[in-house]
Amino acid sequence: NRLRRDKTQQLTARAEEIAAQHPLDGPLIFAVHQDFPSGIVGLIASRLQEKHYRPAIVAKVNEDEIVGSCRSIPEFHITEALDRCQDILVKHGGHAAAAGFTVKRENLEDLKQRLSNLAMEQLEGINLIPTLNVDAELAIRDIIWEVKETMDMLEPCGYGNPTPLFFSPSVHIYHRRKIGNDGAHLKLLLDQDGRTFDGIAFRMGNKESLIEECMDIVYLLQVNEWNGQTSMQLNIQDMRPASRPSVTISLG
């Protein structure tokens, strides 16, 4: 897993370089290279989409064909875009946010241009800022196992049935530390009205200095199992200083 993470990081940086060297008109990110492993092109595309909040396509060059993986944003239905290019595709499939395709090498540039034009046409004039749809406000003191068990009744969650998101205002951050490779993530100790929970903020290690004593947080409820102990933790998706609601500290 560690080797896979390191490889994904390295290749994501490489994909950004390739996309910058061959920029397309409009907001679409497109990176193609023979060294991209088929097994992680989707992960690379996801990282680019999360970081830049743009539709991202990463593809591997094979002998005769190119196999790509796409990750998109709510404002751009990637599979519908591929449908409009099906006359030059060998095959494709997916849903609004994620898709894959195979294209002959001689049709690659045509595909890139068509998808770029579609993205430019559909996203022109839209302020591309990521948003989170919060399902409910929940006080920390009201987080009990029965709440998590009720949320579990909504499973399976995924595209079309997202995991419920909660918002808690004015949560005290008593402790924080960086964890993971190169301190990429944050481990937090959260408290509100004497009720304490652990929190984990993935890929937010570089935001540590922006965290204040009291924060508004958006999170998923998550079960953490460690050393034979089971506890509830908050998987932080976004946060902002409670005293400055116009300022957010987001993922990416």
Side-chain angles (χ1 to χ4, degrees), residues 70-73 76-83 92-100 158-160:
C70 318
R71 297 295 183 270
S72 196
I73 57 179
F76 186 67
H77 194 305
I78 188 61
T79 303
E80 286 184 355
L82 290 173
D83 287 343
H92 72 286
H95 52 71
Y159 179 75

PDB file of all heavy atoms in Angstrom, residues 70-73 76-83 92-100 158-160:
ATOM      1  N   CYS A  70     -11.372   8.506 -16.429  1.00  0.00           N
ATOM      2  CA  CYS A  70     -11.855   9.885 -16.272  1.00  0.00           C
ATOM      3  C   CYS A  70     -12.482  10.070 -14.891  1.00  0.00           C
ATOM      4  O   CYS A  70     -13.188   9.188 -14.397  1.00  0.00           O
ATOM      5  CB  CYS A  70     -12.925  10.213 -17.315  1.00  0.00           C
ATOM      6  SG  CYS A  70     -12.594   9.614 -18.980  1.00  0.00           S
ATOM      7  N   ARG A  71     -12.237  11.224 -14.298  1.00  0.00           N
ATOM      8  CA  ARG A  71     -12.920  11.635 -13.084  1.00  0.00           C
ATOM      9  C   ARG A  71     -13.415  13.056 -13.302  1.00  0.00           C
ATOM     10  O   ARG A  71     -12.665  13.906 -13.778  1.00  0.00           O
ATOM     11  CB  ARG A  71     -11.988  11.572 -11.866  1.00  0.00           C
ATOM     12  CG  ARG A  71     -11.491  10.182 -11.539  1.00  0.00           C
ATOM     13  CD  ARG A  71     -12.613   9.250 -11.111  1.00  0.00           C
ATOM     14  NE  ARG A  71     -12.108   7.938 -10.724  1.00  0.00           N
ATOM     15  CZ  ARG A  71     -11.951   6.916 -11.555  1.00  0.00           C
ATOM     16  NH1 ARG A  71     -12.237   7.072 -12.845  1.00  0.00           N
ATOM     17  NH2 ARG A  71     -11.493   5.759 -11.136  1.00  0.00           N
ATOM     18  N   SER A  72     -14.673  13.297 -12.940  1.00  0.00           N
ATOM     19  CA  SER A  72     -15.246  14.599 -13.280  1.00  0.00           C
ATOM     20  C   SER A  72     -15.874  15.266 -12.074  1.00  0.00           C
ATOM     21  O   SER A  72     -15.804  14.775 -10.947  1.00  0.00           O
ATOM     22  CB  SER A  72     -16.275  14.434 -14.411  1.00  0.00           C
ATOM     23  OG  SER A  72     -16.566  15.685 -15.005  1.00  0.00           O
ATOM     24  N   ILE A  73     -16.487  16.407 -12.325  1.00  0.00           N
ATOM     25  CA  ILE A  73     -17.137  17.230 -11.303  1.00  0.00           C
ATOM     26  C   ILE A  73     -18.631  17.268 -11.607  1.00  0.00           C
ATOM     27  O   ILE A  73     -19.045  16.956 -12.730  1.00  0.00           O
ATOM     28  CB  ILE A  73     -16.528  18.647 -11.294  1.00  0.00           C
ATOM     29  CG1 ILE A  73     -16.655  19.302 -12.678  1.00  0.00           C
ATOM     30  CG2 ILE A  73     -15.067  18.601 -10.865  1.00  0.00           C
ATOM     31  CD1 ILE A  73     -16.112  20.710 -12.766  1.00  0.00           C
ATOM     32  N   PHE A  76     -20.088  18.664 -14.955  1.00  0.00           N
ATOM     33  CA  PHE A  76     -19.748  18.107 -16.271  1.00  0.00           C
ATOM     34  C   PHE A  76     -19.931  16.593 -16.245  1.00  0.00           C
ATOM     35  O   PHE A  76     -19.162  15.875 -15.603  1.00  0.00           O
ATOM     36  CB  PHE A  76     -18.303  18.466 -16.630  1.00  0.00           C
ATOM     37  CG  PHE A  76     -17.890  18.064 -18.014  1.00  0.00           C
ATOM     38  CD1 PHE A  76     -18.454  18.661 -19.131  1.00  0.00           C
ATOM     39  CD2 PHE A  76     -16.914  17.094 -18.199  1.00  0.00           C
ATOM     40  CE1 PHE A  76     -18.055  18.297 -20.416  1.00  0.00           C
ATOM     41  CE2 PHE A  76     -16.505  16.723 -19.476  1.00  0.00           C
ATOM     42  CZ  PHE A  76     -17.087  17.327 -20.589  1.00  0.00           C
ATOM     43  N   HIS A  77     -20.954  16.091 -16.934  1.00  0.00           N
ATOM     44  CA  HIS A  77     -21.271  14.663 -16.986  1.00  0.00           C
ATOM     45  C   HIS A  77     -20.313  14.003 -17.970  1.00  0.00           C
ATOM     46  O   HIS A  77     -20.485  14.092 -19.186  1.00  0.00           O
ATOM     47  CB  HIS A  77     -22.724  14.488 -17.441  1.00  0.00           C
ATOM     48  CG  HIS A  77     -23.284  13.120 -17.227  1.00  0.00           C
ATOM     49  ND1 HIS A  77     -22.687  11.978 -17.712  1.00  0.00           N
ATOM     50  CD2 HIS A  77     -24.411  12.702 -16.564  1.00  0.00           C
ATOM     51  CE1 HIS A  77     -23.413  10.925 -17.378  1.00  0.00           C
ATOM     52  NE2 HIS A  77     -24.458  11.337 -16.679  1.00  0.00           N
ATOM     53  N   ILE A  78     -19.319  13.308 -17.448  1.00  0.00           N
ATOM     54  CA  ILE A  78     -18.240  12.812 -18.301  1.00  0.00           C
ATOM     55  C   ILE A  78     -18.708  11.702 -19.234  1.00  0.00           C
ATOM     56  O   ILE A  78     -18.248  11.617 -20.393  1.00  0.00           O
ATOM     57  CB  ILE A  78     -17.031  12.339 -17.441  1.00  0.00           C
ATOM     58  CG1 ILE A  78     -15.835  11.998 -18.343  1.00  0.00           C
ATOM     59  CG2 ILE A  78     -17.413  11.174 -16.543  1.00  0.00           C
ATOM     60  CD1 ILE A  78     -15.315  13.143 -19.162  1.00  0.00           C
ATOM     61  N   THR A  79     -19.614  10.835 -18.796  1.00  0.00           N
ATOM     62  CA  THR A  79     -20.043   9.749 -19.671  1.00  0.00           C
ATOM     63  C   THR A  79     -20.900  10.261 -20.825  1.00  0.00           C
ATOM     64  O   THR A  79     -20.805   9.755 -21.955  1.00  0.00           O
ATOM     65  CB  THR A  79     -20.797   8.670 -18.869  1.00  0.00           C
ATOM     66  OG1 THR A  79     -19.944   8.196 -17.823  1.00  0.00           O
ATOM     67  CG2 THR A  79     -21.170   7.496 -19.747  1.00  0.00           C
ATOM     68  N   GLU A  80     -21.722  11.280 -20.561  1.00  0.00           N
ATOM     69  CA  GLU A  80     -22.474  11.883 -21.658  1.00  0.00           C
ATOM     70  C   GLU A  80     -21.525  12.515 -22.673  1.00  0.00           C
ATOM     71  O   GLU A  80     -21.775  12.471 -23.888  1.00  0.00           O
ATOM     72  CB  GLU A  80     -23.450  12.929 -21.126  1.00  0.00           C
ATOM     73  CG  GLU A  80     -24.657  12.340 -20.419  1.00  0.00           C
ATOM     74  CD  GLU A  80     -25.651  13.402 -19.982  1.00  0.00           C
ATOM     75  OE1 GLU A  80     -25.351  14.612 -20.156  1.00  0.00           O
ATOM     76  OE2 GLU A  80     -26.725  13.023 -19.473  1.00  0.00           O
ATOM     77  N   ALA A  81     -20.424  13.090 -22.194  1.00  0.00           N
ATOM     78  CA  ALA A  81     -19.422  13.664 -23.105  1.00  0.00           C
ATOM     79  C   ALA A  81     -18.798  12.564 -23.963  1.00  0.00           C
ATOM     80  O   ALA A  81     -18.617  12.729 -25.175  1.00  0.00           O
ATOM     81  CB  ALA A  81     -18.363  14.411 -22.313  1.00  0.00           C
ATOM     82  N   LEU A  82     -18.476  11.431 -23.336  1.00  0.00           N
ATOM     83  CA  LEU A  82     -17.916  10.312 -24.098  1.00  0.00           C
ATOM     84  C   LEU A  82     -18.937   9.746 -25.083  1.00  0.00           C
ATOM     85  O   LEU A  82     -18.573   9.311 -26.188  1.00  0.00           O
ATOM     86  CB  LEU A  82     -17.434   9.215 -23.151  1.00  0.00           C
ATOM     87  CG  LEU A  82     -16.188   9.541 -22.311  1.00  0.00           C
ATOM     88  CD1 LEU A  82     -15.934   8.431 -21.290  1.00  0.00           C
ATOM     89  CD2 LEU A  82     -14.958   9.734 -23.191  1.00  0.00           C
ATOM     90  N   ASP A  83     -20.214   9.740 -24.692  1.00  0.00           N
ATOM     91  CA  ASP A  83     -21.265   9.281 -25.613  1.00  0.00           C
ATOM     92  C   ASP A  83     -21.242  10.077 -26.914  1.00  0.00           C
ATOM     93  O   ASP A  83     -21.481   9.531 -27.997  1.00  0.00           O
ATOM     94  CB  ASP A  83     -22.642   9.433 -24.965  1.00  0.00           C
ATOM     95  CG  ASP A  83     -22.913   8.413 -23.865  1.00  0.00           C
ATOM     96  OD1 ASP A  83     -22.185   7.395 -23.804  1.00  0.00           O
ATOM     97  OD2 ASP A  83     -23.838   8.643 -23.071  1.00  0.00           O
ATOM     98  N   HIS A  92     -16.486   2.441 -24.264  1.00  0.00           N
ATOM     99  CA  HIS A  92     -16.473   3.366 -23.130  1.00  0.00           C
ATOM    100  C   HIS A  92     -17.638   3.033 -22.209  1.00  0.00           C
ATOM    101  O   HIS A  92     -18.557   2.310 -22.585  1.00  0.00           O
ATOM    102  CB  HIS A  92     -16.568   4.827 -23.596  1.00  0.00           C
ATOM    103  CG  HIS A  92     -17.917   5.217 -24.122  1.00  0.00           C
ATOM    104  ND1 HIS A  92     -18.389   4.811 -25.357  1.00  0.00           N
ATOM    105  CD2 HIS A  92     -18.904   5.973 -23.585  1.00  0.00           C
ATOM    106  CE1 HIS A  92     -19.591   5.306 -25.568  1.00  0.00           C
ATOM    107  NE2 HIS A  92     -19.933   6.008 -24.498  1.00  0.00           N
ATOM    108  N   GLY A  93     -17.585   3.550 -20.999  1.00  0.00           N
ATOM    109  CA  GLY A  93     -18.661   3.331 -20.049  1.00  0.00           C
ATOM    110  C   GLY A  93     -18.381   4.043 -18.745  1.00  0.00           C
ATOM    111  O   GLY A  93     -17.265   4.501 -18.505  1.00  0.00           O
ATOM    112  N   GLY A  94     -19.411   4.147 -17.904  1.00  0.00           N
ATOM    113  CA  GLY A  94     -19.243   4.807 -16.612  1.00  0.00           C
ATOM    114  C   GLY A  94     -20.498   5.522 -16.182  1.00  0.00           C
ATOM    115  O   GLY A  94     -21.611   5.173 -16.601  1.00  0.00           O
ATOM    116  N   HIS A  95     -20.318   6.533 -15.348  1.00  0.00           N
ATOM    117  CA  HIS A  95     -21.456   7.348 -14.909  1.00  0.00           C
ATOM    118  C   HIS A  95     -21.032   8.808 -14.911  1.00  0.00           C
ATOM    119  O   HIS A  95     -20.000   9.163 -15.500  1.00  0.00           O
ATOM    120  CB  HIS A  95     -21.968   6.896 -13.543  1.00  0.00           C
ATOM    121  CG  HIS A  95     -20.913   6.809 -12.478  1.00  0.00           C
ATOM    122  ND1 HIS A  95     -20.307   7.910 -11.922  1.00  0.00           N
ATOM    123  CD2 HIS A  95     -20.354   5.733 -11.868  1.00  0.00           C
ATOM    124  CE1 HIS A  95     -19.436   7.545 -11.016  1.00  0.00           C
ATOM    125  NE2 HIS A  95     -19.437   6.216 -10.960  1.00  0.00           N
ATOM    126  N   ALA A  96     -21.808   9.661 -14.292  1.00  0.00           N
ATOM    127  CA  ALA A  96     -21.579  11.108 -14.408  1.00  0.00           C
ATOM    128  C   ALA A  96     -20.211  11.531 -13.896  1.00  0.00           C
ATOM    129  O   ALA A  96     -19.584  12.439 -14.459  1.00  0.00           O
ATOM    130  CB  ALA A  96     -22.670  11.873 -13.651  1.00  0.00           C
ATOM    131  N   ALA A  97     -19.731  10.881 -12.833  1.00  0.00           N
ATOM    132  CA  ALA A  97     -18.507  11.337 -12.189  1.00  0.00           C
ATOM    133  C   ALA A  97     -17.266  10.551 -12.570  1.00  0.00           C
ATOM    134  O   ALA A  97     -16.145  11.032 -12.389  1.00  0.00           O
ATOM    135  CB  ALA A  97     -18.674  11.295 -10.666  1.00  0.00           C
ATOM    136  N   ALA A  98     -17.432   9.345 -13.097  1.00  0.00           N
ATOM    137  CA  ALA A  98     -16.265   8.501 -13.403  1.00  0.00           C
ATOM    138  C   ALA A  98     -16.559   7.636 -14.615  1.00  0.00           C
ATOM    139  O   ALA A  98     -17.668   7.119 -14.773  1.00  0.00           O
ATOM    140  CB  ALA A  98     -15.909   7.625 -12.204  1.00  0.00           C
ATOM    141  N   ALA A  99     -15.551   7.483 -15.463  1.00  0.00           N
ATOM    142  CA  ALA A  99     -15.740   6.695 -16.676  1.00  0.00           C
ATOM    143  C   ALA A  99     -14.400   6.177 -17.165  1.00  0.00           C
ATOM    144  O   ALA A  99     -13.333   6.597 -16.700  1.00  0.00           O
ATOM    145  CB  ALA A  99     -16.411   7.543 -17.762  1.00  0.00           C
ATOM    146  N   GLY A 100     -14.469   5.269 -18.127  1.00  0.00           N
ATOM    147  CA  GLY A 100     -13.278   4.760 -18.774  1.00  0.00           C
ATOM    148  C   GLY A 100     -13.525   4.622 -20.258  1.00  0.00           C
ATOM    149  O   GLY A 100     -14.668   4.560 -20.711  1.00  0.00           O
ATOM    150  N   GLY A 158     -22.604   5.387  -2.183  1.00  0.00           N
ATOM    151  CA  GLY A 158     -21.716   5.569  -3.322  1.00  0.00           C
ATOM    152  C   GLY A 158     -22.315   6.587  -4.256  1.00  0.00           C
ATOM    153  O   GLY A 158     -23.100   7.456  -3.832  1.00  0.00           O
ATOM    154  N   TYR A 159     -21.989   6.499  -5.526  1.00  0.00           N
ATOM    155  CA  TYR A 159     -22.538   7.446  -6.485  1.00  0.00           C
ATOM    156  C   TYR A 159     -24.058   7.303  -6.533  1.00  0.00           C
ATOM    157  O   TYR A 159     -24.595   6.215  -6.657  1.00  0.00           O
ATOM    158  CB  TYR A 159     -21.963   7.208  -7.881  1.00  0.00           C
ATOM    159  CG  TYR A 159     -22.536   8.156  -8.910  1.00  0.00           C
ATOM    160  CD1 TYR A 159     -22.129   9.482  -8.939  1.00  0.00           C
ATOM    161  CD2 TYR A 159     -23.493   7.729  -9.806  1.00  0.00           C
ATOM    162  CE1 TYR A 159     -22.671  10.361  -9.858  1.00  0.00           C
ATOM    163  CE2 TYR A 159     -24.039   8.595 -10.732  1.00  0.00           C
ATOM    164  CZ  TYR A 159     -23.625   9.916 -10.751  1.00  0.00           C
ATOM    165  OH  TYR A 159     -24.175  10.776 -11.660  1.00  0.00           O
ATOM    166  N   GLY A 160     -24.772   8.412  -6.424  1.00  0.00           N
ATOM    167  CA  GLY A 160     -26.232   8.400  -6.418  1.00  0.00           C
ATOM    168  C   GLY A 160     -26.817   8.233  -5.032  1.00  0.00           C
ATOM    169  O   GLY A 160     -27.997   8.524  -4.812  1.00  0.00           O
TER     170      GLY A 160
END
